[in-house]
Amino acid sequence: MLSLILVGAGKGERFGFPKAFLKIEKYPLYFFSLRTFLKFNEIKEIVLVVPAKRRESVHKELKTLGLDNIKVVKGGLTRSESVRNGLRNSRGDRILIHDVSRPFIPENLIKRVIKSKGRLVVPFVKLYDTAFEEDKLLKRQKIKIIQTPQKIERGILLEAFRRSRGKNFPDESTMIKEILNVKPVYVKGSFLNFKLTYPEDIIFLKTIWRGLFKPVIGWGYDLHPLEEGRKLYIGGIHIPFKKGAVGHSDGDVLIHSLVDAILGAIGKGDIGTHFPDSEKKWKDAKSEFFLKRCVEIMEKENVIIGNIDCVIFLERPKIVKHRKKIRAKLAKILKIPEEKISIKAKTSEKMGIIGKEEAIASYSVCLLFQKTLPPFSSILKTMS
Ligand code: MG
């Protein structure tokens, strides 16, 4: 039987805080490698080792994710102690040990490790940079950079721990080589399987994370007539002017075009499908409500906003002095930084219905990112 021990009990001394609990969006770091391992039916048991005081909260978190088959055990003061605790709580005769701080382990690498025969299977990558030890140039062709997951026969792992007398080792293969002189079977590792060590490594993490998002783009347009005695709303902000947009709702062209752009990007129809003007309840409705609904739809569809670019067409008044307020308002509703929103305005040089101040129009383009992470339910499986 093959068990997996996921080690995430480190204090994160070089990192600043325990890495296992770094959250990317709503996902804790430990979930990233966990979700990849969950795809392997060969793994019959998973033990997650976390700092003692986090044990309860992680247990609860996994339960809410529907992953209550995973054992959560407390770690020790050292890596070796943590792995040892994990081992005590596992039953497999072969054990995979993996660092939670290597979140992007490729499936192929897990496959290679599982398939390789040997009492001690260790993935490695080559060193590409020039390296010195003191003044001595090292032969980099001969250097192996060791990674996890390592697959280890339970017997030799137990024996090595027994004889280690509490000594700490950077990884289990080093301990077993040193104490039992067992030669590892090496398999090709992966640079994607990097170890998050320093705070700046978050840059790599975010870059790869973004790779999990599929870009989708949407475009929207709207026009409303202008009439005296109506209030003018642009981007949810009241703009003092003698005329305002005529419409079923408050006639906010900027928000209307933006709603259409967002709905278009995710293939969810348009503003008319969601808020038909045949319905009384949208009469004189504040358009920011439509945008708030879009935020709910985006959350449901696992979509985040990349950026938004809008152009408003109107002759008067000048929008430039209201731009800051409009951006701030939209950013608040959409729950994104203002830098992601661009608002521009154009006149029509006194030509046409815009130029004659008979109408106001707006175009919006938005780039969204759709997560390709599967929902938790799709990766669930029964583990005996
Ligand atoms: Mg409209």
Side-chain angles (χ1 to χ4, degrees):
M1 170 177 149
L2 183 62
S3 299
L4 166 69
I5 299 175
L6 263 182
V7 198
K11 289 192 286 288
E13 271 159 1
R14 285 172 289 188
F15 197 73
F17 65 92
K19 280 173 283 188
F21 306 98
L22 170 74
K23 283 210 172 160
I24 308 166
E25 306 259 324
K26 57 188 171 188
Y27 305 104
L29 191 71
Y30 70 79
F31 173 69
F32 283 75
S33 47
L34 180 60
R35 68 179 274 270
T36 313
F37 281 109
L38 278 168
K39 293 177 183 169
F40 288 83
N41 291 317
E42 296 94 327
I43 300 169
K44 301 294 181 197
E45 176 189 58
I46 297 178
V47 179
L48 176 61
V49 190
V50 298
K53 59 179 179 196
R54 300 270 192 157
R55 198 180 156 261
E56 262 315 296
S57 61
V58 172
H59 185 70
K60 272 188 203 148
E61 192 166 39
L62 285 169
K63 224 173 164 177
T64 59
L65 300 174
L67 297 170
D68 33 15
N69 284 330
I70 288 157
K71 272 190 208 165
V72 186
V73 307
K74 61 175 190 189
L77 291 174
T78 62
R79 179 196 170 85
S80 296
E81 251 182 69
S82 296
V83 175
R84 216 169 170 172
N85 279 351
L87 186 63
R88 276 191 203 109
N89 286 281
S90 70
R91 294 167 293 143
D93 56 340
R94 287 162 306 137
I95 312 284
L96 277 174
I97 301 171
H98 185 67
D99 303 322
V100 161
S101 50
R102 299 180 188 272
F104 294 111
I105 177 161
E107 279 181 55
N108 277 343
L109 171 50
I110 301 177
K111 237 178 246 172
R112 282 198 289 280
V113 172
I114 290 182
K115 279 199 175 147
S116 289
K117 294 205 162 57
R119 307 171 78 192
L120 174 61
V121 179
V122 180
F124 77 101
V125 286
K126 288 180 181 169
L127 179 67
Y128 291 154
D129 297 300
T130 304
F132 284 89
E133 185 183 357
E134 303 285 342
D135 287 335
K136 191 180 152 228
L137 178 66
L138 298 179
K139 286 185 181 157
R140 64 171 179 229
Q141 299 82 352
K142 292 197 166 182
I143 291 177
K144 289 187 177 70
I145 300 170
I146 300 305
Q147 298 187 326
T148 68
Q150 301 179 353
K151 188 176 71 174
I152 310 171
E153 217 179 72
R154 187 183 189 89
I156 57 170
L157 190 55
L158 275 173
E159 178 64 10
F161 272 131
R162 200 179 58 78
R163 292 214 232 153
S164 73
R165 297 207 183 105
K167 190 180 163 194
N168 191 36
F169 288 88
D171 74 296
E172 290 60 50
S173 71
T174 309
M175 172 177 77
I176 291 169
K177 268 176 71 179
E178 197 177 305
I179 296 177
L180 301 176
N181 202 23
V182 172
K183 242 185 143 205
V185 172
Y186 288 107
V187 298
K188 193 169 150 266
S190 166
F191 281 103
L192 275 178
N193 189 31
F194 71 94
K195 190 176 185 182
L196 194 68
T197 308
Y198 293 98
E200 60 262 35
D201 295 343
I202 292 182
I203 296 168
F204 295 125
L205 191 76
K206 287 194 168 163
T207 308
I208 299 173
W209 168 244
R210 283 190 199 115
L212 299 171
F213 287 82
K214 183 180 85 173
V216 286
I217 196 161
W219 189 56
Y221 166 74
D222 195 30
L223 178 142
H224 282 259
L226 288 172
E227 209 175 84
E228 277 189 29
R230 293 272 302 185
K231 280 188 171 175
L232 180 62
Y233 285 96
I234 299 177
I237 298 294
H238 174 236
I239 312 279
F241 189 52
K242 58 178 181 178
K243 288 182 173 183
V246 185
H248 190 68
S249 63
D250 64 5
D252 191 326
V253 285
L254 177 57
I255 289 188
H256 294 185
S257 67
L258 188 50
V259 167
D260 266 0
I262 292 170
L263 293 172
I266 50 181
K268 291 281 162 195
D270 62 9
I271 195 164
T273 348
H274 291 263
F275 317 101
D277 57 13
S278 53
E279 276 185 37
K280 260 198 182 146
K281 62 177 167 182
W282 309 126
K283 176 100 181 86
D284 296 322
K286 274 195 153 188
S287 295
E288 60 185 89
F289 173 83
F290 304 155
L291 203 52
K292 282 177 186 159
R293 268 293 293 147
C294 273
V295 173
E296 288 167 20
I297 294 170
M298 281 190 281
E299 279 168 2
K300 202 172 145 231
E301 295 294 317
N302 246 347
V303 159
I304 58 166
I305 294 174
N307 75 305
I308 283 168
D309 192 14
C310 310
V311 190
I312 306 154
F313 293 88
L314 90 165
E315 203 62 26
R316 279 195 311 159
K318 286 269 176 260
I319 291 304
V320 64
K321 62 178 182 191
H322 304 287
R323 189 151 61 186
K324 214 173 155 217
K325 257 178 130 178
I326 296 174
R327 268 179 109 197
K329 176 87 178 182
L330 295 179
K332 196 175 167 213
I333 299 173
L334 294 167
K335 303 177 190 170
I336 56 172
E338 286 177 32
E339 300 79 61
K340 291 192 170 201
I341 304 171
S342 146
I343 308 283
K344 307 187 292 279
K346 292 273 168 205
T347 70
S348 285
E349 305 287 344
K350 300 195 166 49
M351 293 183 293
I353 50 172
I354 304 277
K356 293 190 169 57
E357 295 181 13
E358 290 166 9
I360 177 172
S362 172
Y363 283 110
S364 292
V365 172
C366 76
L367 177 66
L368 304 183
F369 291 100
Q370 199 145 26
K371 276 176 222 165
T372 54
L373 264 185
F376 292 97
S377 55
S378 74
I379 51 167
L380 282 183
K381 66 181 181 65
T382 318
M383 284 182 291
S384 56

